[in-house]
Amino acid sequence: HGVDALGHAIERDLQRNGDSAVEVVRGHDDLEDMRATLAEDQAFLADLDKNCGTRHQEFEEQAKTRAEELRALQETIKILTDDDALELFKKTLPSAAASFVQVTQSTAHLRHRAVTVLRRAQHKGATDSASLDFIALALHGKQAGFGNVVGMIDDMVQNLKKVQTSDEKKKGWCEEKIGTTNKDKTFFERSIADTDSEIEESKQTLATVTEEIKALRDSIAALDKAVAEATAQRKAEHAAHAEFLAENAAAKQLIGFARNRLQKFYNPKLHKAPEKKELSREGRIYENYGNALFTQVSEHTTLSKDAPAAAPEAGSYAKKHEESSGVLEMLDILVKDVDKQVQEGSVEEKNAQADYEEAMKDSSMKRAANTKSLTMKSSSQAALAEGLQTLEGSRASLAEKLEAKKEYLTTLHEECDWLLQNFEARKDARASEIEALGKAKAVLNGADYSM
């Protein structure tokens, strides 16, 4: 079950890693799109600034030209309406002189009325007071005709309409761009928040996996230590058992030597003559201590009787076959005891070896499982670390995009806020200006507006 759970966890991590990689690619694409959009908007803004500067320069040139034209008209009218000129015209062109005087007297009232209308528009907050001042200045020139003034009025009306149309387009553009940029800003803020959550979750998962890896390594180290200690103990036990077998074999062989020696005396037919060869360690022990052992066994046999037998008469000694058989039986019992000890020790050794082998088998299986789990968790740790790095890179990219959006939004507000806040007021002011210009034009054409 643990392996299945780890497998599912790795699959989830790999899936999350793949999703993160896709998000990073998408984020990079979105960043490129936003950079391209920002470049276009900045180019548009630069072009707009350039056009505005060009329009302002053109307007100044037109105003200068109009002022020169008005000055020329005023000087012309002054020349034609001078007292000496009028006297000259009375003598040479009586009807023309009279018409000049009549025109001068009839147009003065119209100029005054038209200027009054324009001043009212200025008091209401005209958007182009300079143009109204130029028109008023032209009306004060006292020229004979109003053609140029009417033309200036028509031009100004057309210019006001164009400016209003431009403001409406700019207002729509500003509202669209600000709205879109605010949506993008909100999107990136939410994306960063989601990415922060994923980063925190990845860090916690990575910390958990790191702790599990440490626990597995500690478990493997402890298992290796236990195996080494058990192996050392088993070797020591096996060596002790080998020494035990050697000692019991030596004892058994020694008893055999002793028994054969008794057989030589009591039962020569059952005696086995030793082979002519170099004595073993047991043989040397028998040679050195066999007679003493035999003497002790004889004394033990003698003391075990109820009463000592009478000493035989000299020259009439007989072999004690019954007593010798008791000693031989005792030696056989000692051999059986040795065989029993060897058998029990061998069984214990066999069982201990079987337990050791079973423990080693279980330890090997456990170590293999822990090693496999450690490999899988190490792979998962690497994948999590890579995924965390990818998420952090994605967050940095999102933060860069968000910062670009904020900067662009600041630029938009600097460019658009004043227009958006004053759009309606400027629209109403232009409408009032156009209306006032229409009335002034009508006055100049002879219409009667109550002052």
Side-chain angles (χ1 to χ4, degrees):
H1 297 293
V3 174
D4 294 337
L6 288 172
H8 291 309
I10 291 174
E11 291 178 0
R12 288 197 304 272
D13 294 337
L14 292 176
Q15 179 66 31
R16 186 179 301 163
N17 190 18
D19 294 340
S20 299
V22 172
E23 289 296 329
V24 169
V25 173
R26 291 179 179 174
H28 285 303
D29 293 339
D30 293 340
L31 178 59
E32 293 300 325
D33 293 340
M34 293 308 303
R35 286 176 175 170
T37 303
L38 178 60
E40 292 177 359
D41 293 339
Q42 289 175 343
F44 177 79
L45 179 60
D47 184 64
L48 185 63
D49 292 337
K50 180 180 178 182
N51 291 336
C52 289
T54 303
R55 294 287 182 86
H56 183 70
Q57 184 178 0
E58 291 176 354
F59 177 78
E60 290 181 351
E61 292 177 355
Q62 291 176 1
K64 182 179 179 181
T65 303
R66 289 172 182 171
E68 292 176 354
E69 182 181 6
L70 289 174
R71 187 166 56 253
L73 290 173
Q74 290 173 358
E75 292 175 355
T76 302
I77 293 173
K78 183 177 180 180
I79 292 171
L80 295 176
T81 58
D82 185 75
D83 294 338
D84 294 336
L86 290 176
E87 288 295 329
L88 180 60
F89 287 144
K90 289 179 181 179
K91 294 178 181 179
T92 57
L93 299 169
S95 59
S99 63
F100 274 120
V101 175
Q102 292 173 358
V103 169
T104 300
Q105 293 176 349
S106 61
T107 57
H109 181 63
L110 295 178
R111 284 197 301 269
H112 176 72
R113 292 171 59 194
V115 169
T116 302
V117 172
L118 295 178
R119 293 305 180 197
R120 286 182 178 179
Q122 285 182 312
H123 291 318
K124 290 182 179 180
T127 60
D128 196 357
S129 297
S131 297
L132 293 177
D133 288 336
F134 282 123
I135 295 175
L137 181 61
L139 290 174
H140 283 299
K142 300 180 180 181
Q143 69 269 35
F146 301 111
N148 291 331
V149 177
V150 171
M152 291 175 66
I153 291 174
D154 291 338
D155 291 342
M156 185 174 178
V157 169
Q158 292 299 321
N159 184 60
L160 288 171
K161 291 180 179 179
K162 288 180 181 180
V163 173
Q164 179 61 33
T165 301
S166 176
D167 279 1
E168 289 174 353
K169 290 181 179 180
K170 185 64 176 294
K171 177 176 179 291
W173 179 84
C174 287
E175 290 175 342
E176 178 185 359
K177 291 298 181 181
I178 290 175
T180 302
T181 305
N182 275 322
K183 288 181 180 179
D184 293 340
K185 175 175 170 289
T186 301
F187 169 77
F188 288 129
E189 288 174 343
R190 291 178 179 175
S191 298
I192 289 175
D194 294 339
T195 304
D196 286 340
S197 298
E198 292 182 11
I199 289 174
E200 183 62 27
E201 182 179 354
S202 295
K203 286 182 177 179
Q204 292 177 358
T205 304
L206 183 59
T208 300
V209 172
T210 302
E211 291 177 359
E212 292 174 351
I213 288 175
K214 183 179 182 301
L216 283 172
R217 287 175 176 167
D218 292 343
S219 176
I220 291 174
L223 183 62
D224 291 342
K225 181 179 179 182
V227 167
E229 292 175 352
T231 301
Q233 180 181 351
R234 180 85 279 274
K235 287 181 178 180
E237 291 175 351
H238 181 71
H241 178 69
E243 184 178 359
F244 169 77
L245 291 178
E247 290 175 349
N248 279 274
K252 187 176 178 180
Q253 187 177 10
L254 182 60
I255 293 171
F257 279 132
R259 192 176 188 282
N260 190 48
R261 179 66 184 84
L262 289 176
Q263 292 286 18
K264 180 179 180 180
F265 180 76
Y266 290 109
N267 299 303
K269 294 181 179 180
L270 298 178
H271 175 260
K272 295 180 181 179
E275 297 179 358
K276 299 297 182 178
K277 61 180 181 179
E278 184 180 355
L279 294 176
S280 64
R281 184 168 67 93
E282 292 80 5
R284 290 194 299 271
I285 294 173
Y286 173 72
E287 286 292 330
N288 295 326
Y289 304 103
N291 292 328
L293 176 64
F294 177 75
T295 302
Q296 292 176 1
V297 171
S298 297
E299 290 177 354
H300 176 75
T301 305
T302 303
L303 292 174
S304 65
K305 300 296 182 177
D306 293 335
E313 295 180 0
S316 62
Y317 179 78
K319 297 180 181 180
K320 299 177 181 180
H321 293 283
E322 294 179 357
E323 294 176 358
S324 65
S325 63
V327 174
L328 293 173
E329 288 177 0
M330 187 182 69
L331 293 176
D332 291 339
I333 291 173
L334 290 176
V335 171
K336 289 180 180 179
D337 289 341
V338 171
D339 290 339
K340 183 178 180 181
Q341 290 179 7
V342 170
Q343 184 180 6
E344 290 176 352
S346 298
V347 170
E348 291 179 358
E349 169 67 12
K350 182 179 180 181
N351 291 337
Q353 181 65 24
D355 292 341
Y356 170 76
E357 292 176 356
E358 183 68 20
M360 292 301 102
K361 181 180 178 182
D362 293 341
S363 298
S364 177
M365 293 176 61
K366 183 178 180 181
R367 195 182 195 286
N370 287 345
T371 301
K372 182 179 180 181
S373 180
L374 178 61
T375 301
M376 295 175 64
K377 286 187 177 294
S378 297
S379 177
S380 177
Q381 182 188 41
L384 285 169
E386 183 179 358
L388 179 60
Q389 185 177 3
T390 301
L391 285 172
E392 290 175 344
S394 177
R395 191 197 183 285
S397 176
L398 290 170
E400 183 180 352
K401 294 177 184 178
L402 177 60
E403 189 62 28
K405 286 296 178 183
K406 288 181 177 179
E407 291 178 359
Y408 181 52
L409 189 62
T410 300
T411 302
L412 287 175
H413 281 299
E414 291 175 352
E415 180 181 352
C416 298
D417 283 355
W418 186 85
L419 173 65
L420 296 176
Q421 293 170 2
N422 298 279
F423 178 80
E424 293 299 330
R426 286 166 59 81
K427 181 180 179 181
D428 294 340
R430 287 194 189 99
S432 298
E433 287 180 66
I434 292 173
E435 182 182 2
L437 289 170
K439 290 181 178 180
K441 181 178 177 181
V443 168
L444 295 176
N445 288 329
D448 183 13
Y449 287 90
S450 61
M451 297 293 113

